[in-house]
Structure formats: C-alpha cells, structure tokens
Amino acid sequence: MTDAAANGGVNPALRGGLPILTVLLAIVAVWYGAAVWMNAPWVRDQAARAEATLTAPDLIRQTLTLDRPVLPAPHQVAAGLWDGIAGQKITSKRSLVWHGWVTLSATLAGFAIGTMAGIALAVGIVHNRAMDQSVMPWAVASQTVPILAIAPMVIVVMASAGVTGLLPKAIIAAWLSFFPVLVGMVKGLRTPDAMQLDLMRSWNSSPAQVFWRLRLPSSLPYLFASLKVAIAAALVGTIVGELPAGATAGLGARLLSGSYYGQTVQIWSALFAAAILAALLVMLIGALERLTLRRMGLA
Amino acid sequence: MTPVITARDISLTFTTADGPVHALKDVSLTINPGDFVSFIGPSGCGKTTFLRTIAALETPTGGTLSVNGMTPDAARKARAYGYVFQAPGLYPWRTIAGNISLPLEIMGFSRADRAQRIRRVLDLVDLTGFGSKYPWQLSGGMQQRASIARALAFDADILLMDEPFGALDEIVRDRLNEALLDLWKKTGKTIGFVTHSIPEAVYLSTRIVVMSPRPGRITRVIDSPLPRDRPLEIRDTPEFIALAQQVREGLREGHGYD
Ligand SMILES: Nc1ncnc2c1ncn2[C@@H]1O[C@H](COP(=O)(O)OP(=O)(O)OP(=O)(O)O)[C@@H](O)[C@H]1O
Ligand SMILES: [Mg+2]
C-alpha cells in the first residue's frame, strides 16, 4: 500500500486548503465571465463603428485586455497590483506601498486612539453607575451617524484649524474603532462571576486590585475579538477619510483619483491593496491573540 | 473561653420580585475557638446565607453578629477568615502557586514570605510539588485542595467552607475529609462547614447545626461526643451511628411533615 492510499489519497496539507482553493477558483471564473459580459457592449460598439466583424474569440480577447474596462479582468488587476507594489520605487506617488503606508500609519494611529478610548469608556461604565446609564446610548448614536457624512466635516474643520495629514484621518478611524472595543470590553470586564468577586471581597481587595488581577485578565478574550473588528473598522475609517477632495496620498486617494480618470484597474488594485492590508492586520491580531491566550491558559 | 462567632437573633430577609424571602429568622449560635461546626439542612434553609453573613458578604436585616469580637465587616477587613466555595474558582492564567499567592499579593506580603507560605500550605493540603502546575493539569479534588490552601495561606484563624466537596465523588470526598480533619488538628482553626451529607457532618464536626427552611432557622444543635482523633473506621462505631440517627431525626422534625 502506498502512502497516498494510506491517507485517503489526499495530502493532509492540501485537504485544509482544498475548499478554499475551490471557492477561489469559482470566484475567479465568475469574475472572468462578468468581465466579458460587462465589457462586451463597448467592444461590440467599437467593432460596429469600425465596421469590423467580431469572432467570439476576438470578442473575449478584447474584453479582457481593454485599457479602461468597465470591469477589469483578474489578471489585469493582478498586474496592476504587482506593478503598484513591486514595479515602482516605494517613494513614488505611483507606488501602492507608499500609499499603503500612508493609510496604514493613520489606521494604526486611529486604532490606538480608538482602542484606548474604548477601554477607558468601558472601565468607566463598569465602575461608575452614572456612566453605566449614560455612555452607551451616546456611543450607539455615534455609530448610527453615517461616517461618510462625518468624515468630510472632520477633515474640513481640522484643515481650517491648520491640522492636516495623519491626525484628521486617525480621528475618523478612531471614531469607528472605539465602538467594538467598548462593547467587547464592557462584556469582558463583567465576565467574572459572583463567586470570584466574592472571593476578592473576602480578601478585602481594593477596586484597583479587582480590576488588574481579575477583571482585566478575564476580559482579554473579549478584547482580542473586538480588536479584530476594530482594526478593520479603523482601516475603513482611514480610507473614507482619504476620499474627500484634496487628498493626494493613501489608498483612499488612489481609489478616488482612479475613479476621476476612469482608471478602473487602478481602483481595483487599490481596493485589493486595502483588502490585503486588512487581512494582514487581522491576522496579526489573531496571532497575538493565540499567543497571549494560550500562554494564559484561556484558549 | 471567649467565643469566636456570636450570633444573636440574626434575621435576613431578601426582597425579591415575588415578595420577601425569609432566608434566616432569629438564628442564634455561639462558636468557640477550635470548633468544627457543620451546618446541615434541606436546600434553601439558609446555610449559605448564614455563612455569608458571618463573612460579611451579606448584611443581616436584624440581630447582632460578632466575629472575633468585631462586626463581621471589620473582621473581613482584618482578614479574619478564609472562605472556600463549592467550586475551586482558581484563575486559569495562574499556576497553583500563583493562585495561592493571589490573596497574599493583595494583602501585601513580601515575595519571600509568600514563597514560604505557599510551600507550607501546599504541604498542608498534600499538594507538595504541584505549585508550578496549572489548574487544568489537576483533578477536581486536587483543585479543591488548592483552593483550601489558598484560603489557609494568610493564616486567618477562621475557615468558612460552603459545600467544598459537594461536587466530588464519594472516594475523593472521604480522602479530603480525612485530610481536612488532619489539617484542622494541626492548625487548630475554627471551621464553619456547610454540607448536605449526614455522614460527612458527623465525621467532621464537634458540633452539628441542623437547620430547616421557610423561614430559615436552627432546629437543633448537636454536640458530638466523638473524640477529636477520628480514623475513617469511626464511622462503623455505635456512637457514630447513633449520632447520625440524631441528625436524621433533627432533619425530619425540621421538615415537620404537616
Ligand atoms: N441574593 C438572594 N436574593 C434573593 N433570595 C435569596 C438570595 N440568596 C438566597 N436567597 C434565598 O434565601 C433562601 C436561603 O438560601 P441559601 O442559599 O442560604 O440556602 P442553602 O441552605 O444554602 O441551600 P442549598 O443547600 O441549596 O445551598 C432561599 O430561599 C434562597 O432562594
Ligand atoms: Mg448553599
């Protein structure tokens, strides 16, 4: 009996990846189909104007190689992405790495501010009755205001005060990212049960000791879950903050200038760069989470 | 001998959505130093509530209660007692030694003092060498012993235990009962112990307090004639069986099948 037969004919390393790969291939196939379908009218139009006849293979080839397609084909986006990441000097304004860094730095700053604010508010809510009853409705209200309406105001108001660049975007990012942290931490800080709190009381612990030794460690699983949502939200917030007119740096600006000039490949490349960035950030927090919780015996 | 705990006409009424619950009504009891007092009675008769009032985790609505000559809250602040709950309640992110160290850190013991105390109480509950293990690496019985060690570490002279072995099987329970008796003899602590088991109460106690519900009250206090030295086999002696019989009668009359 061969090894392959012994383990069911599938390499175990592949078995986990196989479903993901299948889905990916399906998406790419659908995408190609959609690209042909959506770009076909324009190609037909051009052919009709030139009074040329189009064979089916011609049609397909042309729909997938347009300069400004309605929907770029996957390989065009991949090429655009590759050129943006590896084909340019990273100090160039055409480099996605440069734009990505501009977005990333504001995202991280906003994420840090938002996380601090979320934790601080959660601590207040858990320890103070007045805050418990008053903060949450405002926090919820802050998230129901469309960020697209808030972002330009923040940018404009701060620009008129002479503050531009990273900080206004970071504030918008913080606006979106504090909320999941707040909700997660309120829940997390309240996980210790009555018995554990009674034990602390029997030792005559101060509120600070209860917080540092019981509430905070118990809340960490909730904190990490919220951080994953918060970092993605911070990225979205930053990109939205880069959309208002005037911005020239960042993935958001790249998206916007692409749409001004009908550079769909550029839009899609920037979009994918943002998605990749988000995935990397979430994975980074996931790794931190596994490391921390495993060391604490909570995972 | 000045009593360690004196309760006079303690009442505690919980106000609930369905009206008042008389968890305790006119409970009077005196516990002397070195006593091992068991509380036994049907579910809901106020055993836990009474132990919690002694620990100042509940405040009685009537009567007077003194612990070590102070109010229960002053006694709590003076760290007069160690409390053991039914579940071990160990922190999963701390080792056994770290868990025992927790109250000591809170109370501000020095590092060297902590290490020495941890070693001593681990020996006392027969967990020598398990300090660096994590709770999940220990059996349920070992975890409960660790929680007892934690309650012993800061040398409170009162130990309050609420069904500490309730979740364990009979065999483990027997071993832990023996160990607890041994520990009590070595340390001379005053112990308040809630249980549902008649043999456990009779085997361990110098006094058995029988309670009954609605309202929660004491129906009988039985002083044990058994010697302080009690091998497990004492449970087959006529004295033991007679005492168990007395407790059973007390429980039955408290129920008052009327
Ligand atoms: N926090 C509370 N709020 C309202 N009622 C309570 C509270 N704690 C206990 N009670 C009620 O007080 C009565 C006594 O409860 P207690 O827990 O002391 O009983 P117990 O003797 O320990 O019972 P068990 O053997 O089931 O542990 C019960 O009727 C219970 O429902
Ligand atoms: Mg109880």
Side-chain angles (χ1 to χ4, degrees):
Chain A
M1 200 197 263
T2 66
D3 275 0
N7 58 31
V10 183
N11 183 331
L14 268 182
R15 215 176 296 156
L18 210 57
I20 300 174
L21 204 67
T22 312
V23 172
L24 196 67
L25 284 177
I27 291 174
V28 169
V30 170
W31 188 350
Y32 268 113
V36 171
W37 185 66
M38 291 179 76
N39 298 330
W42 198 81
V43 173
R44 278 210 197 89
D45 213 33
Q46 290 297 99
R49 243 175 251 175
E51 289 177 12
T53 46
L54 270 179
T55 60
D58 273 345
L59 176 73
I60 291 175
R61 191 166 34 74
Q62 286 185 35
T63 52
L64 299 181
T65 52
L66 292 174
D67 250 357
R68 294 179 183 188
V70 179
L71 179 65
H75 68 267
Q76 290 178 297
V77 173
L81 203 55
W82 178 252
D83 178 60
I85 292 170
Q88 310 286 338
K89 274 216 332 239
I90 58 165
T91 50
S92 151
K93 288 227 164 188
R94 298 170 59 95
S95 165
L96 278 176
V97 176
W98 182 74
H99 287 289
W101 166 250
V102 170
T103 301
L104 177 65
S105 52
T107 299
L108 291 180
F111 173 68
I113 299 170
T115 302
M116 304 279 194
I119 292 176
L121 285 173
V123 171
I125 285 176
V126 169
H127 286 91
N128 182 298
R129 261 187 74 79
M131 279 186 78
D132 185 18
Q133 286 165 352
S134 61
V135 173
M136 223 19 141
W138 288 104
V140 172
S142 79
Q143 302 301 298
T144 58
V145 182
I147 191 66
L148 275 168
I150 295 287
M153 290 199 297
V154 173
I155 302 285
V156 169
V157 167
M158 291 193 74
S160 73
V163 185
T164 55
L166 183 142
L167 194 61
K169 292 191 283 177
I171 285 173
I172 296 164
W175 181 289
L176 287 190
S177 61
F178 92 92
F179 189 67
V181 176
L182 170 63
V183 173
M185 278 307 271
V186 168
K187 176 107 181 92
L189 291 173
R190 285 193 171 142
T191 41
D193 57 20
M195 188 193 83
Q196 285 182 311
L197 291 169
D198 279 342
L199 259 179
M200 281 301 213
R201 192 171 147 75
S202 81
W203 300 326
N204 195 25
S205 324
S206 68
Q209 287 168 328
V210 175
F211 178 78
W212 288 109
R213 286 163 209 272
L214 176 60
R215 287 193 191 274
L216 191 65
S218 316
S219 74
L220 286 186
Y222 294 85
L223 176 64
F224 278 112
S226 318
L227 288 184
K228 284 192 223 165
V229 181
I231 191 98
L235 184 67
V236 170
T238 304
I239 290 177
V240 169
E242 287 166 350
L243 289 178
T248 52
L251 294 175
R254 196 78 183 144
L255 277 173
L256 200 69
S257 72
S259 75
Y260 277 157
Y261 305 111
Q263 295 285 0
T264 42
V265 176
Q266 179 185 327
I267 299 178
W268 282 83
S269 303
L271 214 60
F272 269 82
I276 292 167
L277 195 57
L280 288 178
L281 289 171
V282 171
M283 272 163 57
L284 183 71
I285 291 180
L288 268 177
E289 174 183 34
R290 272 193 304 280
L291 209 73
T292 313
L293 297 190
R294 193 171 306 150
R295 278 200 56 184
M296 288 180 66
L298 291 175
Chain B
M1 196 155 42
T2 45
V4 179
I5 295 163
T6 319
R8 210 166 297 124
D9 299 329
I10 291 296
S11 296
L12 203 161
T13 308
F14 289 108
T15 344
T16 68
D18 319 325
V21 175
H22 299 283
L24 294 173
K25 182 137 176 47
D26 298 332
V27 171
S28 299
L29 185 72
T30 306
I31 299 178
N32 290 319
D35 271 357
F36 195 128
V37 181
S38 284
F39 298 87
I40 191 165
S43 193
C45 69
K47 308 181 292 292
T48 296
T49 307
F50 188 55
L51 215 60
R52 288 173 61 86
T53 24
I54 296 173
L57 297 174
E58 304 283 358
T59 315
T61 44
T64 54
L65 181 59
S66 93
V67 178
N68 277 352
M70 303 173 245
T71 65
D73 207 47
R76 175 181 69 83
K77 288 184 175 136
R79 281 126 180 185
Y81 66 84
Y83 203 105
V84 179
F85 291 84
Q86 180 164 1
L90 301 169
Y91 290 6
W93 58 87
R94 281 177 177 247
T95 60
I96 297 302
N99 270 287
I100 297 172
S101 168
L102 180 65
L104 302 177
E105 289 164 26
I106 285 168
M107 294 173 191
F109 288 88
S110 76
R111 179 181 291 270
D113 197 8
R114 289 204 301 263
Q116 179 259 324
R117 279 164 183 272
I118 291 166
R119 213 172 319 114
R120 180 169 54 81
V121 292
L122 278 177
D123 285 349
L124 214 50
V125 298
D126 205 12
L127 280 179
T128 315
F130 283 92
S132 57
K133 292 268 190 290
Y134 281 88
W136 52 268
Q137 295 173 301
L138 269 58
S139 71
M142 290 161 98
Q143 289 185 22
Q144 194 55 285
R145 273 187 278 159
S147 88
I148 295 172
R150 179 180 57 187
L152 292 171
F154 47 93
D155 280 333
D157 34 335
I158 305 170
L159 192 56
L160 301 174
M161 308 174 96
D162 191 355
E163 300 191 50
F165 309 139
L168 304 173
D169 68 68
E170 197 90 12
I171 302 161
V172 177
R173 207 170 165 142
D174 274 355
R175 283 217 0 86
L176 291 186
N177 280 340
E178 254 188 310
L180 181 60
L181 266 189
D182 194 42
L183 187 150
W184 169 64
K185 270 183 294 182
K186 273 191 213 155
T187 57
K189 290 194 191 300
T190 310
I191 298 183
F193 187 93
V194 171
T195 179
H196 271 126
S197 152
I198 297 175
E200 190 172 63
V202 174
Y203 177 60
L204 293 173
S205 323
T206 56
R207 302 174 81 196
I208 301 157
V209 177
V210 182
M211 297 180 71
S212 84
R214 283 173 299 274
R217 62 196 184 279
I218 294 177
T219 47
R220 243 191 222 204
V221 178
I222 303 165
D223 282 303
S224 170
L226 301 179
R228 288 202 165 209
D229 269 317
R230 298 171 186 188
L232 268 179
E233 299 77 58
I234 204 169
R235 295 185 298 184
D236 301 322
T237 61
E239 291 86 355
F240 188 97
I241 293 163
L243 199 56
Q245 186 60 34
Q246 252 183 295
V247 176
R248 202 166 292 119
E249 272 165 24
L251 285 169
R252 201 170 296 145
E253 110 198 346
H255 248 247
Y257 296 100
D258 42 33

